[in-house]
């Protein structure tokens, strides 16, 4: 199975900051990488697929990049609603696997 | 409007069986691939199963042989039949439509005596 490792596990930032979190795959997944945002008690929200393609309706302050084994999610100009847990998922090969998550909290 | 609504969760004893349903509206499930993802209390997301439009299915190793994904095209509903349930299957189960933003609200399954 492909292991997905996210770093950091906890990221503290302030409103207005720009933050970057990473996701590393234990083997290449091409660009078959998705990012999700989840708030407590809510279903995950799909942000990005194909490593860098924004879902419809997702603001452009979210951006994704990478290919192969190393991926990043960047959020510019943090707003209070952006503080949540973020997960990456590879869908290049079965079983699909998620990273353990990066919790973004307010400094 | 696209909607996914899960049902069928509840409290079940270890070794028991439960079937989750995911009723879809606003699109045709047989034309998409559909997945189940779960989240144990306080834990991260875990992919569980997938069914392609051609009916091909895949499972996580932890549920293979115990869970079965299926769909009823006439009801536009996705299912997850869960047998031989274990305490570690306790989780909120979400259904999702492919790589789209369409996810259900989740159904809680608690396996406990």
């Amino acid at each position: 199975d492909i292991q997905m490792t996210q770093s950091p596990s906890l990221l503290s930032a302030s409103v207005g900051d720009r933050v970057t979190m990473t996701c590393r795959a234990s083997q290449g997944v091409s660009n078959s990488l998705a990012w999700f945002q989840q708030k407590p008690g809510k279903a995950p929200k799909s942000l990005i697929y194909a490593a860098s393609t924004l879902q419809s309706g997702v603001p452009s302050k979210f951006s994704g990049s990478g290919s192969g084994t190393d991926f990043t999610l960047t959020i510019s100009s943090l707003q209070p609603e952006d503080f949540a847990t973020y997960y990456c998922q590879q869908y290049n090969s079965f079983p699909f696997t998620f990273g353990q998550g990066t919790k973004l909290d307010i400094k | 409007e696209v909607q996914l609504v899960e049902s069928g969760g509840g409290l079940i004893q270890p070794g028991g069986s439960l079937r989750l349903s995911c009723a879809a509206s606003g699109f045709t499930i047989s034309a998409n691939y559909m997945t189940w993802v779960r989240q144990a209390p306080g834990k991260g997301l875990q992919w569980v199963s997938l069914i392609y439009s051609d009916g091909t299915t895949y499972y996580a190793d932890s549920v293979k042989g115990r869970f079965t994904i299926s769909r009823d095209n006439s009801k536009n509903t996705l299912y997850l039949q869960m047998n031989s349930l274990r305490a570690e299957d306790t989780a909120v189960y979400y259904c999702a439509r492919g790589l789209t933003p369409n996810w259900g609200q989740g159904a809680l399954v608690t396996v406990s005596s």
Side-chain angles (χ1 to χ4, degrees):
Chain A
D1 298 2
I2 297 176
Q3 306 301 317
M4 306 301 291
T5 302
Q6 292 184 243
S7 59
S9 295
L10 178 63
L11 181 56
S12 296
S14 301
V15 171
D17 284 353
R18 171 188 170 101
V19 297
T20 296
M21 59 192 75
T22 67
C23 176
R24 176 165 289 175
S26 61
Q27 61 190 80
V29 298
S30 186
N31 72 334
S32 300
L33 192 285
W35 288 96
F36 297 86
Q37 175 195 68
Q38 189 179 34
K39 297 179 180 179
K42 300 295 187 182
K45 175 185 177 181
S46 176
L47 298 175
I48 286 170
Y49 63 96
S52 61
T53 303
L54 256 59
Q55 291 283 8
S56 175
V58 173
S60 59
K61 64 178 179 178
F62 292 92
S63 63
S65 65
S67 182
T69 60
D70 294 307
F71 302 87
T72 62
L73 173 69
T74 298
I75 312 170
S76 62
S77 188
L78 282 172
Q79 296 302 306
E81 62 269 22
D82 300 327
F83 292 93
T85 300
Y86 292 84
Y87 295 93
C88 63
Q89 182 206 32
Q90 68 82 18
Y91 53 93
N92 185 71
S93 62
F94 290 102
F96 292 175
T97 43
F98 287 91
Q100 83 282 8
T102 291
K103 184 177 181 180
L104 175 60
D105 73 0
I106 300 176
K107 187 184 292 182
Chain B
E1 179 193 7
V2 171
Q3 203 169 13
L4 293 167
V5 179
E6 295 103 338
S7 61
L11 175 63
I12 187 76
Q13 290 190 340
S17 297
L18 208 59
R19 188 179 78 161
L20 299 181
S21 300
C22 171
S25 56
F27 72 100
T28 302
I29 63 167
S30 61
N32 294 262
Y33 81 76
M34 302 293 294
T35 65
W36 288 98
V37 172
R38 70 184 180 183
Q39 186 169 37
K43 303 297 184 182
L45 302 173
Q46 181 187 24
W47 178 83
V48 173
S49 183
L50 176 150
I51 183 167
Y52 278 120
S53 55
D54 68 359
T56 305
T57 59
Y58 294 89
Y59 299 93
D61 289 345
S62 58
V63 307
K64 200 174 297 183
R66 300 188 299 124
F67 289 12
T68 302
I69 190 172
S70 65
R71 65 184 183 227
D72 184 331
N73 295 340
S74 67
K75 295 182 179 178
N76 210 33
T77 298
L78 177 73
Y79 300 103
L80 186 67
Q81 177 67 44
M82 303 182 293
N83 299 331
S84 302
L85 282 162
R86 307 166 180 167
E88 55 265 35
D89 295 318
T90 294
V92 174
Y93 286 74
Y94 298 100
C95 62
R97 173 193 180 195
L99 293 174
T100 74
N102 308 132
W103 285 58
Q105 83 288 353
L108 176 61
V109 173
T110 303
V111 184
S112 174
S113 54

